[in-house]
Amino acid sequence: MQNTKARLGRVVDVELPGSESTELRKVVRAAIELAQATKHRRNGDRRSAGMAADAALLVTHLVRRAIEPAG
């Protein structure tokens, strides 16, 4: 996940620059951290796994929107 985390972080930095995107960058990074932390939990449960999956989907959708052409 570290490589994925680094790649997603780079996409966020490149595609969402500037102060107007500060909050969105924070949300994406927090969702990435949640997914990673949940994945590595020793005694995770179904609820935690579901939330991690939701976080991963959130990241996917936000990054996809970030790289779409404006217009």
Side-chain angles (χ1 to χ4, degrees):
M1 179 83 171
Q2 286 298 339
N3 289 336
T4 301
K5 181 179 169 182
R7 285 192 299 265
L8 288 171
R10 182 70 180 139
V11 169
V12 169
D13 291 340
V14 170
E15 298 294 337
L16 300 170
S19 60
E20 68 277 357
S21 298
T22 300
E23 291 84 6
L24 186 52
R25 285 193 305 270
K26 286 180 185 179
V27 168
V28 173
R29 288 189 181 114
I32 292 168
E33 291 296 330
L34 173 62
Q36 185 175 23
T38 303
K39 176 183 175 186
H40 294 289
R41 226 176 255 153
R42 289 201 180 272
N43 52 350
D45 56 16
R46 187 175 176 91
R47 179 177 172 217
S48 295
M51 288 190 297
D54 290 343
L57 286 172
L58 174 64
V59 169
T60 302
H61 290 299
L62 292 174
V63 168
R64 183 176 48 90
R65 293 268 190 231
I67 62 176
E68 283 180 349

